Each structure stands twice: as C-alpha cells, then as structure tokens.
Amino acid sequence: MENIKLSRCVISIKGQTPDPDYPVDIWFDSLKSVANVLPKENQQLLKVIAERQPQSVTELAALTERAVSNVSRTLKTLGKYNLVTVQK
C-alpha cells in the first residue's frame, strides 16, 4: 500500500523577490509553468489529500472520481516539484 504525504511549500516565479520570512521551495520560470503543473484538477487533488489524507493512490482516485492511472501520473508530476511524496 502506498501512503501519500502532503507538505506545505512556497512557490515563486523567477524574477520575483521572495519574502525573506518564507524561503522559496520551488521556483518556476513563469506563471504559465505554474498553471501547467497546478491546473484546477491538480489543485483539487492536493485539497483532497490535505483534507481526507487518503492512504493509497486507489483511495485518492476513488475520492476524486478519477482513474487510478490518471491520479498516479499526476502524483508523479507533482512529486517532481516536491508538492507531494508518495511512499511505497
């Protein structure tokens, strides 16, 4: 069974001056890059993870009414940006 862990991170776009109180975890080249990684569907997925804390990809897929393969792919993408960590 895979466990999904959500952690909070600060995102910024290159060229912006970050708030010194909140060190930036993830830098994007543009706002378009942020939009590509975090469309509404992916934002909803992160919200479900935070609120419901599913214990598996299958459970998360059921909660979001998305295919397991789709959720798995999305988690891999979000994982590349350290937005989620999937533990096997």
Side-chain angles (χ1 to χ4, degrees):
M1 182 178 291
E2 296 173 315
N3 291 321
I4 302 165
K5 180 183 175 188
L6 179 71
S7 59
R8 184 168 298 210
C9 68
V10 176
I11 297 172
S12 189
I13 297 171
K14 290 181 182 175
Q16 290 184 339
T17 304
D19 185 327
D21 292 333
Y22 299 97
V24 175
D25 298 303
I26 302 168
W27 288 95
F28 284 93
D29 292 326
S30 66
L31 190 55
K32 184 177 180 179
S33 297
V34 176
N36 287 337
V37 174
L38 292 172
K40 287 185 181 188
E41 296 83 8
N42 292 358
Q43 291 176 38
Q44 180 63 24
L45 194 75
L46 292 172
K47 182 178 179 182
V48 170
I49 293 170
E51 292 176 353
R52 304 289 296 273
Q53 300 180 358
Q55 296 301 303
S56 70
V57 174
T58 303
E59 181 182 356
L60 179 57
L63 289 169
T64 57
E65 298 180 352
R66 292 169 61 175
V68 173
S69 60
N70 178 280
V71 171
S72 182
R73 256 190 326 274
T74 300
L75 291 173
K76 285 179 186 176
T77 299
L78 296 174
K80 289 179 186 176
Y81 292 93
N82 297 317
L83 294 168
V84 296
T85 302
V86 178
Q87 301 172 345
K88 295 184 179 192

Coordinates of all heavy atoms in Angstrom, one line a residue:
M1 N 0.8 -1.2 0.0 CA 0.0 0.0 0.0 C 0.9 1.2 0.0 O 1.9 1.3 0.7 CB -0.9 0.0 1.2 CG -1.8 1.2 1.3 SD -3.0 1.2 2.6 CE -4.0 -0.2 2.2
E2 N 0.5 2.3 -0.8 CA 1.3 3.5 -0.8 C 0.6 4.5 0.1 O -0.6 4.7 0.1 CB 1.3 4.0 -2.3 CG 2.0 3.1 -3.2 CD 1.8 3.5 -4.6 OE1 0.7 3.9 -5.1 OE2 2.9 3.5 -5.3
N3 N 1.4 5.3 0.8 CA 1.0 6.4 1.6 C 1.3 7.7 0.9 O 2.4 7.8 0.3 CB 1.6 6.3 3.0 CG 1.1 5.2 3.8 OD1 -0.1 4.8 3.7 ND2 2.0 4.6 4.5
I4 N 0.4 8.6 1.0 CA 0.6 9.9 0.4 C 0.8 10.9 1.5 O 0.1 11.0 2.4 CB -0.6 10.3 -0.5 CG1 -0.8 9.2 -1.6 CG2 -0.4 11.7 -1.1 CD1 -2.2 9.3 -2.2
K5 N 1.9 11.7 1.3 CA 2.2 12.7 2.3 C 2.2 14.1 1.7 O 2.8 14.3 0.6 CB 3.6 12.5 2.9 CG 4.0 13.5 4.0 CD 5.4 13.2 4.5 CE 5.8 14.3 5.4 NZ 7.2 14.1 5.8
L6 N 1.5 15.0 2.2 CA 1.4 16.4 1.7 C 2.2 17.3 2.6 O 2.1 17.2 3.9 CB -0.1 16.9 1.7 CG -0.3 18.3 1.2 CD1 -0.1 18.3 -0.3 CD2 -1.8 18.7 1.5
S7 N 3.0 18.1 2.0 CA 3.7 19.1 2.8 C 3.5 20.5 2.2 O 3.2 20.6 1.0 CB 5.2 18.8 2.9 OG 5.8 18.7 1.6
R8 N 3.6 21.5 3.0 CA 3.4 22.8 2.6 C 4.7 23.4 2.0 O 5.8 23.1 2.5 CB 3.1 23.7 3.8 CG 2.7 25.1 3.4 CD 2.1 25.8 4.5 NE 0.9 25.1 4.8 CZ -0.2 25.7 5.3 NH1 -0.2 26.9 5.6 NH2 -1.3 25.0 5.6
C9 N 4.6 24.1 0.9 CA 5.8 24.7 0.3 C 5.5 26.1 -0.3 O 4.3 26.4 -0.5 CB 6.3 23.8 -0.8 SG 5.3 23.6 -2.2
V10 N 6.5 26.8 -0.5 CA 6.4 28.2 -1.0 C 6.8 28.1 -2.5 O 7.9 27.6 -2.8 CB 7.2 29.2 -0.2 CG1 7.2 30.6 -0.9 CG2 6.8 29.2 1.2
I11 N 6.0 28.6 -3.4 CA 6.3 28.7 -4.8 C 6.5 30.1 -5.2 O 5.8 31.0 -4.8 CB 5.1 28.1 -5.6 CG1 4.9 26.6 -5.2 CG2 5.3 28.2 -7.1 CD1 3.7 26.0 -5.8
S12 N 7.5 30.3 -6.1 CA 7.7 31.6 -6.6 C 8.1 31.5 -8.1 O 8.5 30.5 -8.6 CB 8.9 32.3 -5.8 OG 9.0 33.7 -6.2
I13 N 8.0 32.7 -8.8 CA 8.4 32.7 -10.2 C 9.7 33.5 -10.3 O 9.9 34.5 -9.6 CB 7.2 33.5 -11.0 CG1 6.0 32.6 -10.9 CG2 7.7 33.7 -12.4 CD1 4.7 33.3 -11.4
K14 N 10.6 33.0 -11.1 CA 11.9 33.6 -11.3 C 11.7 35.0 -11.6 O 10.9 35.4 -12.5 CB 12.7 32.8 -12.3 CG 13.1 31.5 -11.8 CD 14.0 30.7 -12.8 CE 14.3 29.3 -12.3 NZ 15.0 28.5 -13.3
G15 N 12.5 35.9 -11.0 CA 12.4 37.3 -11.3 C 11.7 38.0 -10.2 O 11.8 39.3 -10.0
Q16 N 10.9 37.3 -9.3 CA 10.2 37.9 -8.2 C 11.1 38.0 -7.0 O 12.0 37.1 -6.9 CB 9.0 37.1 -7.8 CG 7.9 37.2 -8.8 CD 6.6 36.4 -8.3 OE1 6.7 35.6 -7.5 NE2 5.5 36.8 -8.9
T17 N 10.9 38.9 -6.2 CA 11.7 39.0 -4.9 C 10.8 38.3 -3.8 O 9.8 38.8 -3.5 CB 11.9 40.5 -4.5 OG1 12.6 41.1 -5.6 CG2 12.8 40.5 -3.3
P18 N 11.4 37.2 -3.3 CA 10.6 36.4 -2.3 C 10.6 37.1 -1.0 O 11.5 37.9 -0.6 CB 11.3 35.1 -2.3 CG 12.7 35.4 -2.7 CD 12.6 36.5 -3.7
D19 N 9.6 36.8 -0.2 CA 9.5 37.3 1.2 C 10.6 36.6 2.0 O 10.6 35.3 2.0 CB 8.1 37.0 1.7 CG 7.9 37.5 3.1 OD1 8.8 37.6 3.9 OD2 6.7 37.9 3.4
P20 N 11.4 37.3 2.7 CA 12.5 36.6 3.5 C 12.0 35.7 4.6 O 12.7 34.8 5.0 CB 13.4 37.8 4.0 CG 12.5 39.0 3.8 CD 11.5 38.7 2.8
D21 N 10.8 36.0 5.0 CA 10.2 35.1 6.1 C 9.7 33.8 5.6 O 9.4 32.9 6.4 CB 9.0 35.9 6.7 CG 9.4 37.1 7.5 OD1 10.6 37.1 8.0 OD2 8.6 38.0 7.6
Y22 N 9.6 33.6 4.3 CA 9.1 32.4 3.7 C 10.1 32.0 2.6 O 9.9 32.3 1.4 CB 7.7 32.6 3.1 CG 6.7 33.0 4.1 CD1 6.4 34.3 4.3 CD2 6.1 32.0 4.9 CE1 5.4 34.7 5.3 CE2 5.2 32.4 5.9 CZ 4.9 33.7 6.1 OH 4.0 34.0 7.1
P23 N 11.1 31.2 2.9 CA 12.0 30.7 1.9 C 11.3 29.9 0.8 O 10.4 29.1 1.0 CB 13.0 29.9 2.6 CG 12.6 29.8 4.0 CD 11.4 30.7 4.2
V24 N 11.7 30.2 -0.5 CA 11.1 29.5 -1.6 C 11.6 28.1 -1.7 O 12.8 27.8 -1.7 CB 11.4 30.3 -2.9 CG1 10.8 29.6 -4.1 CG2 10.8 31.7 -2.8
D25 N 10.6 27.2 -1.9 CA 10.9 25.8 -2.1 C 11.0 25.4 -3.5 O 11.8 24.6 -3.9 CB 9.9 24.9 -1.4 CG 9.8 25.1 0.1 OD1 10.8 25.0 0.8 OD2 8.7 25.5 0.6
I26 N 10.1 26.0 -4.3 CA 10.0 25.7 -5.8 C 10.0 27.0 -6.6 O 9.2 27.9 -6.3 CB 8.7 24.9 -6.0 CG1 8.7 23.6 -5.2 CG2 8.7 24.5 -7.5 CD1 7.4 22.9 -5.2
W27 N 10.9 27.0 -7.6 CA 10.9 28.1 -8.5 C 10.4 27.7 -9.8 O 10.8 26.6 -10.3 CB 12.4 28.6 -8.7 CG 13.0 29.3 -7.5 CD1 13.7 28.8 -6.5 CD2 12.8 30.7 -7.2 NE1 14.0 29.7 -5.6 CE2 13.5 30.9 -6.0 CE3 12.1 31.8 -7.8 CZ2 13.6 32.2 -5.4 CZ3 12.2 33.0 -7.2 CH2 12.9 33.2 -6.0
F28 N 9.5 28.5 -10.4 CA 9.0 28.3 -11.7 C 9.5 29.4 -12.7 O 9.8 30.5 -12.2 CB 7.5 28.3 -11.8 CG 6.9 27.0 -11.2 CD1 6.5 26.9 -9.9 CD2 6.7 25.9 -12.0 CE1 6.0 25.8 -9.4 CE2 6.1 24.8 -11.5 CZ 5.7 24.7 -10.2
D29 N 9.7 29.1 -13.9 CA 10.1 30.0 -14.9 C 9.1 31.1 -15.2 O 9.4 32.2 -15.6 CB 10.6 29.4 -16.2 CG 11.8 28.5 -16.0 OD1 12.7 28.9 -15.2 OD2 11.9 27.5 -16.7
S30 N 7.8 30.7 -15.1 CA 6.8 31.7 -15.5 C 5.5 31.3 -14.8 O 5.3 30.2 -14.3 CB 6.6 31.7 -17.0 OG 6.1 30.4 -17.4
L31 N 4.5 32.2 -14.9 CA 3.2 31.9 -14.3 C 2.6 30.8 -15.2 O 1.8 29.9 -14.6 CB 2.3 33.2 -14.4 CG 1.0 33.1 -13.6 CD1 1.2 32.6 -12.2 CD2 0.3 34.4 -13.7
K32 N 2.9 30.7 -16.5 CA 2.3 29.7 -17.3 C 2.8 28.3 -16.8 O 2.1 27.3 -16.9 CB 2.7 29.9 -18.8 CG 2.2 28.9 -19.7 CD 2.5 29.2 -21.2 CE 1.9 28.2 -22.1 NZ 2.2 28.5 -23.5
S33 N 4.1 28.2 -16.4 CA 4.6 27.0 -15.9 C 3.8 26.5 -14.6 O 3.5 25.3 -14.5 CB 6.1 27.1 -15.5 OG 6.8 27.4 -16.7
V34 N 3.5 27.5 -13.8 CA 2.7 27.1 -12.6 C 1.4 26.6 -13.0 O 0.9 25.6 -12.5 CB 2.6 28.4 -11.7 CG1 1.7 28.1 -10.5 CG2 3.9 28.9 -11.2
A35 N 0.7 27.3 -14.0 CA -0.6 26.9 -14.4 C -0.6 25.5 -15.1 O -1.5 24.8 -14.9 CB -1.1 27.9 -15.4
N36 N 0.5 25.2 -15.7 CA 0.6 23.8 -16.3 C 0.7 22.7 -15.3 O 0.2 21.6 -15.5 CB 1.8 23.8 -17.3 CG 1.6 24.5 -18.6 OD1 0.5 24.8 -19.0 ND2 2.7 24.9 -19.2
V37 N 1.4 23.0 -14.2 CA 1.6 22.0 -13.2 C 0.4 22.0 -12.2 O 0.0 20.9 -11.7 CB 2.9 22.2 -12.4 CG1 3.0 21.3 -11.2 CG2 4.1 22.1 -13.3
L38 N -0.2 23.1 -12.0 CA -1.3 23.2 -11.0 C -2.6 23.7 -11.6 O -3.2 24.7 -11.1 CB -0.9 24.1 -9.8 CG 0.3 23.6 -9.0 CD1 0.7 24.7 -8.0 CD2 -0.2 22.4 -8.2
P39 N -3.1 23.0 -12.6 CA -4.4 23.4 -13.1 C -5.5 23.1 -12.0 O -5.1 22.4 -11.0 CB -4.7 22.5 -14.3 CG -3.8 21.3 -14.1 CD -2.6 21.8 -13.3
K40 N -6.7 23.5 -12.2 CA -7.7 23.3 -11.1 C -7.8 21.8 -10.7 O -8.0 21.6 -9.5 CB -9.1 23.8 -11.6 CG -9.1 25.3 -11.7 CD -10.5 25.8 -12.0 CE -10.5 27.3 -12.1 NZ -11.8 27.9 -12.2
E41 N -7.7 20.9 -11.6 CA -7.8 19.5 -11.3 C -6.8 19.1 -10.3 O -7.0 18.3 -9.3 CB -7.8 18.6 -12.5 CG -8.9 18.8 -13.5 CD -8.7 20.0 -14.4 OE1 -7.6 20.6 -14.5 OE2 -9.6 20.4 -15.1
N42 N -5.5 19.6 -10.5 CA -4.4 19.2 -9.6 C -4.5 19.9 -8.3 O -4.2 19.4 -7.2 CB -3.1 19.5 -10.3 CG -2.8 18.5 -11.5 OD1 -3.6 17.7 -11.7 ND2 -1.7 18.7 -12.1
Q43 N -5.0 21.1 -8.3 CA -5.3 21.8 -7.1 C -6.3 21.1 -6.2 O -6.2 21.0 -5.0 CB -5.7 23.3 -7.3 CG -4.7 24.2 -7.9 CD -5.2 25.5 -8.3 OE1 -6.0 26.1 -7.6 NE2 -4.8 26.1 -9.4
Q44 N -7.4 20.6 -6.9 CA -8.4 19.9 -6.2 C -7.8 18.6 -5.6 O -8.2 18.2 -4.5 CB -9.6 19.5 -7.1 CG -10.7 18.7 -6.5 CD -11.4 19.5 -5.4 OE1 -11.4 20.7 -5.3 NE2 -12.0 18.7 -4.5
L45 N -6.9 17.9 -6.4 CA -6.3 16.7 -5.9 C -5.5 17.0 -4.6 O -5.6 16.3 -3.6 CB -5.4 16.1 -7.0 CG -4.9 14.7 -6.8 CD1 -6.0 13.7 -7.1 CD2 -3.7 14.5 -7.7
L46 N -4.8 18.1 -4.6 CA -4.0 18.5 -3.4 C -4.9 18.8 -2.2 O -4.6 18.4 -1.1 CB -3.1 19.6 -3.7 CG -1.9 19.4 -4.7 CD1 -1.2 20.7 -5.0 CD2 -0.9 18.4 -4.1
K47 N -6.0 19.4 -2.5 CA -7.0 19.7 -1.5 C -7.6 18.5 -0.8 O -7.7 18.3 0.4 CB -8.1 20.6 -2.0 CG -9.1 21.0 -1.0 CD -10.2 21.9 -1.6 CE -11.2 22.3 -0.6 NZ -12.3 23.1 -1.1
V48 N -7.9 17.5 -1.7 CA -8.4 16.2 -1.2 C -7.4 15.5 -0.3 O -7.7 15.0 0.7 CB -8.9 15.3 -2.3 CG1 -9.2 13.9 -1.9 CG2 -10.1 15.9 -3.0
I49 N -6.1 15.5 -0.8 CA -5.1 14.9 0.0 C -5.0 15.6 1.4 O -4.9 14.9 2.4 CB -3.7 15.0 -0.7 CG1 -3.8 14.1 -2.0 CG2 -2.6 14.6 0.2 CD1 -2.6 14.3 -2.9
A50 N -5.0 16.9 1.4 CA -4.9 17.6 2.7 C -6.1 17.4 3.6 O -5.9 17.2 4.8 CB -4.7 19.1 2.4
E51 N -7.3 17.3 3.0 CA -8.5 17.2 3.9 C -8.8 15.8 4.3 O -9.2 15.5 5.4 CB -9.6 17.8 3.1 CG -9.5 19.3 3.0 CD -10.7 20.0 2.2 OE1 -11.5 19.2 1.6 OE2 -10.7 21.2 2.1
R52 N -8.6 14.8 3.3 CA -9.0 13.5 3.6 C -7.9 12.5 3.9 O -8.1 11.4 4.4 CB -9.8 13.0 2.3 CG -11.0 13.8 1.9 CD -12.1 13.7 2.9 NE -12.8 12.5 2.9 CZ -13.7 12.0 2.1 NH1 -14.2 12.8 1.2 NH2 -14.2 10.8 2.2
Q53 N -6.7 12.9 3.6 CA -5.5 12.1 3.9 C -5.6 10.6 3.5 O -5.6 9.7 4.3 CB -5.1 12.2 5.4 CG -4.8 13.6 5.8 CD -4.5 13.7 7.3 OE1 -4.5 12.7 8.0 NE2 -4.2 14.9 7.7
P54 N -5.9 10.4 2.2 CA -6.0 9.0 1.7 C -4.8 8.2 1.9 O -3.7 8.8 1.9 CB -6.3 9.2 0.2 CG -5.7 10.5 -0.1 CD -5.9 11.4 1.1
Q55 N -4.9 6.9 2.1 CA -3.8 6.1 2.4 C -3.3 5.3 1.2 O -2.3 4.6 1.3 CB -4.2 5.1 3.5 CG -4.6 5.7 4.8 CD -3.4 6.5 5.3 OE1 -2.3 6.0 5.5 NE2 -3.6 7.8 5.5
S56 N -3.9 5.5 0.0 CA -3.4 4.9 -1.2 C -3.8 5.7 -2.4 O -4.7 6.5 -2.4 CB -3.9 3.5 -1.3 OG -5.3 3.5 -1.6
V57 N -3.1 5.4 -3.5 CA -3.5 6.0 -4.8 C -4.9 5.6 -5.2 O -5.7 6.4 -5.7 CB -2.5 5.7 -5.9 CG1 -2.9 6.2 -7.2 CG2 -1.1 6.2 -5.5
T58 N -5.2 4.4 -4.9 CA -6.6 3.9 -5.3 C -7.6 4.6 -4.5 O -8.7 5.0 -5.1 CB -6.6 2.3 -5.0 OG1 -5.6 1.7 -5.7 CG2 -8.0 1.8 -5.3
E59 N -7.4 4.8 -3.2 CA -8.4 5.6 -2.4 C -8.5 7.0 -2.9 O -9.6 7.6 -3.0 CB -7.9 5.6 -0.9 CG -8.9 6.3 0.0 CD -8.4 6.3 1.4 OE1 -7.4 5.7 1.8 OE2 -9.1 7.0 2.2
L60 N -7.4 7.6 -3.2 CA -7.4 9.0 -3.7 C -8.2 9.1 -5.1 O -9.0 10.0 -5.3 CB -6.0 9.5 -3.9 CG -5.8 11.0 -4.5 CD1 -6.6 12.0 -3.6 CD2 -4.4 11.3 -4.6
A61 N -7.9 8.1 -5.9 CA -8.7 8.1 -7.2 C -10.2 8.0 -7.0 O -11.0 8.6 -7.6 CB -8.2 6.9 -8.0
A62 N -10.6 7.1 -6.0 CA -12.0 7.0 -5.7 C -12.6 8.3 -5.1 O -13.7 8.7 -5.5 CB -12.2 5.8 -4.7
L63 N -11.8 8.9 -4.3 CA -12.3 10.2 -3.7 C -12.5 11.3 -4.7 O -13.3 12.2 -4.6 CB -11.3 10.6 -2.6 CG -11.3 9.8 -1.3 CD1 -10.1 10.2 -0.4 CD2 -12.6 9.9 -0.5
T64 N -11.6 11.3 -5.7 CA -11.7 12.3 -6.7 C -12.4 11.9 -8.0 O -12.5 12.7 -8.9 CB -10.2 12.8 -7.1 OG1 -9.5 11.6 -7.6 CG2 -9.5 13.4 -5.9
E65 N -12.9 10.7 -8.0 CA -13.6 10.1 -9.2 C -12.7 10.2 -10.5 O -13.2 10.6 -11.5 CB -14.9 10.8 -9.4 CG -15.8 10.6 -8.2 CD -17.2 11.2 -8.3 OE1 -17.4 12.0 -9.3 OE2 -18.1 11.0 -7.5
R66 N -11.4 9.9 -10.3 CA -10.5 9.9 -11.4 C -9.9 8.5 -11.5 O -9.9 7.8 -10.6 CB -9.4 10.9 -11.2 CG -9.9 12.4 -11.3 CD -8.9 13.4 -10.8 NE -7.6 13.4 -11.6 CZ -6.7 14.3 -11.4 NH1 -6.8 15.2 -10.5 NH2 -5.6 14.3 -12.1
A67 N -9.5 8.2 -12.7 CA -8.8 6.9 -12.9 C -7.5 6.8 -12.1 O -6.8 7.8 -12.0 CB -8.6 6.6 -14.4
V68 N -7.3 5.6 -11.6 CA -6.0 5.4 -10.9 C -4.8 5.7 -11.7 O -3.9 6.4 -11.2 CB -5.9 3.9 -10.4 CG1 -4.6 3.6 -9.7 CG2 -7.1 3.6 -9.4
S69 N -4.8 5.4 -13.0 CA -3.6 5.7 -13.8 C -3.5 7.2 -14.0 O -2.3 7.7 -13.9 CB -3.8 5.1 -15.2 OG -5.0 5.5 -15.8
N70 N -4.6 7.9 -14.0 CA -4.5 9.4 -14.1 C -4.0 10.0 -12.9 O -3.1 10.9 -12.9 CB -5.9 9.9 -14.5 CG -6.0 11.4 -14.5 OD1 -6.0 12.1 -13.5 ND2 -5.9 12.0 -15.7
V71 N -4.5 9.5 -11.7 CA -4.0 10.0 -10.4 C -2.5 9.7 -10.2 O -1.8 10.5 -9.8 CB -4.9 9.5 -9.3 CG1 -4.3 9.8 -7.9 CG2 -6.3 10.0 -9.4
S72 N -2.1 8.5 -10.6 CA -0.8 8.1 -10.5 C 0.2 9.0 -11.3 O 1.2 9.5 -10.8 CB -0.6 6.6 -10.9 OG 0.7 6.2 -10.7
R73 N -0.2 9.3 -12.5 CA 0.6 10.2 -13.4 C 0.7 11.6 -12.8 O 1.7 12.2 -12.8 CB 0.0 10.3 -14.8 CG 0.6 9.5 -15.8 CD 0.1 9.8 -17.2 NE -1.3 10.1 -17.4 CZ -2.2 9.2 -17.5 NH1 -2.0 7.9 -17.5 NH2 -3.5 9.6 -17.6
T74 N -0.4 12.1 -12.3 CA -0.5 13.4 -11.7 C 0.4 13.5 -10.5 O 1.2 14.4 -10.3 CB -1.9 13.8 -11.4 OG1 -2.7 13.8 -12.6 CG2 -2.0 15.2 -10.7
L75 N 0.4 12.4 -9.6 CA 1.2 12.4 -8.5 C 2.7 12.4 -8.8 O 3.5 13.0 -8.1 CB 0.8 11.2 -7.6 CG -0.5 11.3 -6.9 CD1 -0.8 10.0 -6.2 CD2 -0.6 12.5 -5.9
K76 N 3.0 11.7 -9.9 CA 4.4 11.7 -10.3 C 4.9 13.1 -10.7 O 6.0 13.5 -10.4 CB 4.6 10.7 -11.5 CG 4.6 9.2 -11.0 CD 4.8 8.3 -12.2 CE 4.6 6.8 -11.7 NZ 4.7 5.9 -12.7
T77 N 4.0 13.8 -11.5 CA 4.3 15.1 -11.9 C 4.4 16.0 -10.7 O 5.4 16.8 -10.6 CB 3.2 15.7 -12.8 OG1 3.2 14.9 -14.0 CG2 3.5 17.1 -13.2
L78 N 3.5 16.0 -9.8 CA 3.6 16.8 -8.6 C 4.8 16.5 -7.7 O 5.4 17.3 -7.1 CB 2.3 16.7 -7.8 CG 1.0 17.2 -8.4 CD1 -0.2 16.8 -7.6 CD2 1.1 18.6 -8.7
G79 N 5.1 15.2 -7.7 CA 6.3 14.7 -7.0 C 7.6 15.3 -7.5 O 8.5 15.6 -6.8
K80 N 7.7 15.5 -8.8 CA 8.9 16.1 -9.5 C 9.1 17.5 -8.9 O 10.2 18.0 -8.9 CB 8.7 16.2 -11.0 CG 8.8 14.8 -11.6 CD 8.6 15.0 -13.1 CE 8.6 13.6 -13.8 NZ 8.3 13.7 -15.2
Y81 N 8.0 18.2 -8.5 CA 8.1 19.5 -8.0 C 8.1 19.6 -6.4 O 7.9 20.6 -5.8 CB 7.0 20.4 -8.6 CG 7.2 20.7 -10.0 CD1 6.6 19.8 -11.0 CD2 8.0 21.7 -10.5 CE1 6.8 20.0 -12.3 CE2 8.2 21.9 -11.8 CZ 7.6 21.1 -12.7 OH 7.7 21.3 -14.1
N82 N 8.2 18.4 -5.8 CA 8.2 18.2 -4.4 C 6.9 18.7 -3.8 O 6.9 19.2 -2.6 CB 9.4 18.9 -3.7 CG 10.7 18.3 -4.2 OD1 10.7 17.0 -4.2 ND2 11.7 19.1 -4.5
L83 N 5.8 18.7 -4.5 CA 4.5 19.1 -4.0 C 3.8 17.9 -3.2 O 3.0 18.2 -2.3 CB 3.6 19.6 -5.1 CG 4.0 20.9 -5.8 CD1 3.2 21.1 -7.0 CD2 3.9 22.0 -4.8
V84 N 4.2 16.7 -3.5 CA 3.7 15.5 -2.8 C 4.9 14.5 -2.8 O 5.8 14.6 -3.6 CB 2.5 14.8 -3.5 CG1 1.3 15.7 -3.4 CG2 2.8 14.3 -4.9
T85 N 4.8 13.6 -1.8 CA 5.7 12.5 -1.7 C 4.8 11.2 -1.6 O 4.0 11.1 -0.7 CB 6.6 12.6 -0.5 OG1 7.3 13.8 -0.6 CG2 7.6 11.5 -0.4
V86 N 5.1 10.3 -2.5 CA 4.3 9.0 -2.5 C 5.3 8.0 -1.9 O 6.4 7.8 -2.4 CB 3.9 8.6 -3.9 CG1 3.2 7.2 -3.8 CG2 2.9 9.6 -4.5
Q87 N 4.9 7.4 -0.8 CA 5.7 6.4 -0.1 C 5.1 5.0 -0.4 O 3.9 4.8 -0.3 CB 5.7 6.6 1.4 CG 6.2 8.0 1.8 CD 6.0 8.3 3.2 OE1 5.3 7.6 3.9 NE2 6.7 9.3 3.7
K88 N 6.0 4.1 -0.8 CA 5.6 2.7 -1.2 C 5.8 1.8 0.0 O 6.6 2.0 0.8 CB 6.3 2.2 -2.4 CG 6.0 3.1 -3.6 CD 6.7 2.5 -4.8 CE 6.3 3.3 -6.0 NZ 6.6 2.7 -7.3

